[in-house]
Amino acid sequence: MTTHVVVMGVSGSGKTTVAEGIADRTGWIFAEADKFHSQANIDKMASGTPLTDEDRWPWLRDLAAWMAEHAARGEDTVITCSALKRSYRDVLSADIAALGGGHRVVFAHLHGSAEVIADRLKDRKGHFMPASLLQSQIDTLEDLGPDEDGVVLDLTGSPQELIDEAVADVAPGR
């Protein structure tokens, strides 16, 4: 059985910081989902145009395949991914579920107010995602359903608090 943590939330919520912390604590393999985007997707976002579902499907399938490849080798993973819609999270989980054998995909949703996130984005440098797209992500975001494996984390906590809470939920005893 393997575990695959998807640290999710809108841009600027702290996904990379928390995911890297979980990976450091657990020793699990880490991937930054932004690195899986096509250049066309990056260019589109950088120009201030939100991605469509059609833009996202190949990216999500690539992330799912990456997790499934590691699961097939018995390796646990941690990835960052906005995972804004239930349908996106279903794609991320599908390849792992197809493996059978009790593999787990768990979502750690970094949740907070638009004001806090917008304030963080003002200070962010060197990322292709402009602050102008935050509202489109907030409008798209669907909360985790009661039947989804996951934890909601208040992103106003310190990075260490968020990492501690996530690890307690996804990897008890670490």
Side-chain angles (χ1 to χ4, degrees):
M1 179 170 151
T2 60
T3 299
H4 307 275
V5 181
V6 178
V7 180
M8 63 171 280
V10 298
S11 184
S13 60
K15 295 183 296 289
T16 300
T17 300
V18 172
E20 287 176 339
I22 294 168
D24 287 346
R25 175 88 57 84
T26 60
W28 297 350
I29 299 166
F30 169 76
E32 170 63 60
D34 285 345
K35 296 194 183 315
F36 288 72
H37 273 301
S38 68
Q39 190 61 49
N41 279 3
I42 291 170
D43 293 345
K44 189 172 186 176
M45 288 182 283
S47 75
T49 305
L51 296 180
T52 65
D53 285 353
E54 290 69 32
D55 296 324
R56 287 186 179 101
W57 296 131
W59 172 67
L60 293 164
R61 286 191 294 268
D62 287 347
L63 292 170
W66 182 86
M67 287 189 296
E69 287 169 16
H70 287 282
R73 293 193 296 259
E75 299 168 338
D76 302 296
T77 65
V78 181
I79 66 167
T80 62
C81 180
S82 52
L84 299 173
K85 290 183 179 180
R86 171 67 184 255
S87 58
Y88 303 166
R89 296 188 296 269
D90 289 345
V91 168
L92 290 169
S93 301
D95 288 358
I96 300 288
L99 293 173
H103 298 281
R104 179 183 185 204
V105 176
V106 58
F107 298 93
H109 178 192
L110 297 173
H111 181 69
S113 74
E115 295 77 24
V116 169
I117 297 167
D119 193 50
R120 288 181 178 186
L121 287 174
K122 281 189 261 183
D123 298 326
R124 189 157 96 170
K125 307 282 187 254
H127 194 276
F128 59 82
M129 179 81 164
S132 62
L133 291 181
L134 175 59
Q135 192 58 52
S136 72
Q137 286 200 330
I138 290 169
D139 292 344
T140 303
L141 180 64
E142 297 173 359
D143 291 335
L144 290 173
D147 61 328
E148 289 182 278
D149 190 355
V151 58
V152 178
L153 305 170
D154 180 349
L155 60 77
T156 60
S158 72
Q160 194 56 55
E161 290 169 333
L162 295 170
I163 294 162
D164 290 346
E165 189 175 344
V167 169
D169 186 77
V170 303
R174 291 201 181 230

